[in-house]
Amino acid sequence: MTAALLTDKYELTMLAAALRDGSAGRRTTFEVFARRLPDGRRYGVVAGTARFLEALGEFVFDDEALEPLRSFLDPATLDYLRDFRFTGDIDGYAEGELYFPGSPVLSVTGSFAECVLLETLALSILNHDTAIASAAARMVSAAAGRTLIEMGSRRTHEYAAVAAARAAYIAGFTGTSNLEASRRYGIPALGTSAHAFTMLHASAADGPDQWERAAFRAQVDTLGVGTTLLVDTYDVTAGVANAIAVAGTELGAVRIDSGDLGVLARQVRAQLDGLGATRTQIVVSGDLDEYSIAALRADPVNSYGVGTSVATGSGAPTASMVYKLVEVDGLPVQKRSSHKESHGGRKAALRLSRPTGTIIEEVVHPVSTPPEVTEPARTLTVPLMRGGRPADHQPAPGLAAARELVVSGLHSLPWEGLALSAGEPAIPTRQVPVQPR
């Protein structure tokens, strides 16, 4: 399927008008950035860049894609689209980098005609994936090293679920329940059974204990004693007793999906230890988010299964990024609308830190004139594409490299930047103005 129609009509009507008046070939730079972070957030995590570059290779107008456009586009525009291939340059932050208000997350340079077509594609991918990764990173921080399983496929669009699993994995989740995400991206697939499997074993002759033991026995016979048994279908205390009676004290884990999870986790831990299952772990799930995960930090929980809140960005389903024209034929241009301002000129960014590694400021500067700084600084803006082809010196590819960037980024935040309460961004962003010519 071509990605060419994953766009908005106004991009094509602007193209048609620019082709007609001769301005389509002017060299431009568009920039992706967020004017502010979602409410309550102190940092964001970039995700989706690799998916955008992959989709760009599929952004072609074949005959099937062109057919519905004939009703409102002139022949010259249709001819342009038929031959369209992006031939410009793209720079940006590597996946896994933290970002803050005003960070030039992506910079797209080329003719107006080719750059204007990419607005919706870039924003739909980056806004979704970045929102998921940013929420997931807060959950990773709250979990303090404990396992997190992404299981939100049933709470979002079927294809968005695959992208959400990828973004959550970048942010530090251990695995996903989604098999397509596992196949496509190599993310560990995790999951065992639901309440339906336990209830399947009900019969008129027996009671809940026998039904539950029958279900547990079938699961252990199939998956081994290292499996995770769901113990809250009928009664948690009885469920734990039945699980150990069937699987023995080497059972891998039990899962609790309802009730007061903190209280139940403590009760279950004591019960497991009393039964001799001291190494059996406790997995909890059920409408978890970063706040409930943090509240469980002192309880004997080993793993968290997170669904709705991660698949929907934990209340921030978009990163509120925009795609704005900032330069035309080398001339900086900027928007001055109230509360929707932009900063003109093609830009890059540095991140300054103390000698200890704690970051203190992000400096956004004209790409050709990096500022002189006295603090340790790291360049954030890297080449991603040159002349429509992958750049020679791209950031390290793959999800493993992105995951490492998230870890190092979170470690570099000042302590207040990791707070889950509302507050200012973890570090300020300083815009170095373009010098007048």
Side-chain angles (χ1 to χ4, degrees):
M1 181 182 71
T2 178
L5 295 185
L6 299 176
T7 189
D8 289 315
K9 181 177 179 179
Y10 84 151
E11 293 168 16
L12 301 186
T13 56
M14 284 189 286
L15 168 67
L19 288 170
R20 181 179 291 273
D21 76 1
S23 60
R26 298 189 71 178
R27 189 162 180 84
T28 59
T29 293
F30 284 78
E31 186 176 280
V32 176
F33 63 96
R35 293 188 178 94
R36 61 193 65 85
L37 296 174
D39 290 343
R41 303 292 173 85
R42 303 191 184 206
Y43 64 88
V45 176
V46 176
T49 310
R51 288 210 311 119
F52 167 66
L53 296 176
E54 180 182 359
L56 191 53
E58 302 166 358
F59 197 89
V60 294
F61 291 83
D62 55 20
D63 290 340
E64 185 177 357
L66 287 172
E67 188 58 35
L69 310 182
R70 297 182 187 280
S71 62
F72 64 91
L73 291 179
D74 60 275
T77 305
L78 292 170
D79 287 343
Y80 177 87
L81 293 174
R82 182 177 291 106
D83 297 329
F84 177 80
R85 296 292 186 277
F86 181 73
T87 61
D89 300 340
I90 298 178
D91 300 271
Y93 287 27
E95 285 196 287
E97 287 280 13
L98 304 186
Y99 76 92
F100 302 93
S103 295
V105 169
L106 199 74
S107 178
V108 181
T109 299
S111 70
F112 176 81
E114 58 186 341
C115 294
V116 74
L117 292 177
L118 304 184
E119 176 183 3
T120 302
L121 183 69
L123 291 181
S124 61
I125 292 175
L126 289 172
N127 268 322
H128 174 269
D129 289 23
T130 295
I132 303 300
S134 300
R138 286 161 58 86
M139 297 174 201
V140 169
S141 179
R146 300 177 187 179
T147 297
L148 285 161
I149 306 165
E150 186 281 320
M151 44 196 296
S153 296
R154 292 162 292 166
R155 299 294 185 266
T156 188
H157 185 279
E158 63 268 29
Y159 293 112
V162 181
R166 179 184 184 276
Y169 186 67
I170 284 175
F173 271 54
T174 305
T176 180
S177 64
N178 189 284
L179 290 179
E180 176 58 19
S182 179
R183 180 197 71 82
R184 189 177 301 184
Y185 300 117
I187 302 170
L190 303 170
T192 52
S193 68
H195 296 101
F197 184 73
T198 302
M199 293 187 290
L200 171 68
H201 292 76
S203 68
D206 303 310
D209 282 347
Q210 289 77 21
W211 305 340
E212 197 165 52
R213 290 192 183 199
F216 289 169
R217 190 172 296 111
Q219 185 174 328
V220 170
D221 288 346
T222 303
L223 302 176
V225 296
T227 191
T228 299
L229 297 177
L230 181 59
V231 296
D232 70 339
T233 303
Y234 303 114
D235 176 83
V236 173
T237 301
V240 171
N242 290 330
I244 300 305
V246 169
T249 57
E250 296 303 308
L251 175 64
V254 296
R255 178 161 74 97
I256 311 166
D257 189 53
S258 58
D260 188 324
L261 296 177
V263 171
L264 289 173
R266 293 192 294 273
Q267 293 176 353
V268 167
R269 182 73 270 159
Q271 185 181 3
L272 288 170
D273 292 347
L275 293 170
T278 57
R279 293 190 293 182
T280 299
Q281 297 194 345
I282 298 174
V283 182
V284 297
S285 56
D287 295 325
L288 296 175
D289 60 15
E290 59 264 50
Y291 302 105
S292 54
I293 291 170
L296 291 165
R297 191 177 293 168
D299 295 310
V301 174
N302 302 101
S303 303
Y304 306 91
V306 188
T308 303
S309 63
V310 69
T312 59
S314 191
T318 174
S320 298
M321 290 186 175
V322 293
Y323 183 94
K324 296 302 176 185
L325 180 65
V326 295
E327 190 170 280
V328 178
D329 289 337
L331 177 68
V333 295
Q334 61 190 52
K335 187 174 179 179
R336 297 180 181 176
S337 305
S338 178
H339 304 297
K340 289 191 174 183
E341 300 87 352
S342 60
H343 297 274
R346 184 177 176 184
K347 295 179 283 295
L350 302 172
R351 189 165 292 157
L352 309 186
S353 62
R354 298 190 178 98
T356 58
T358 301
I359 58 176
I360 56 175
E361 185 180 39
E362 189 146 318
V363 182
V364 180
H365 60 87
V367 69
S368 58
T369 54
E372 294 184 4
V373 294
T374 56
E375 300 88 350
R378 185 169 66 86
T379 299
L380 298 170
T381 309
V382 293
L384 301 171
M385 185 171 282
R386 289 290 178 266
R389 298 178 178 275
D392 291 336
H393 302 291
Q394 291 191 63
L399 298 185
R403 283 165 64 86
E404 290 175 5
L405 268 180
V406 174
V407 171
S408 63
L410 294 179
H411 284 168
S412 72
L413 284 173
W415 67 267
E416 63 271 16
L418 292 170
L420 297 180
S421 58
E424 295 298 315
I427 61 171
T429 304
R430 172 162 54 99
Q431 295 277 346
V432 178
V434 177
Q435 297 299 318
R437 298 187 179 187

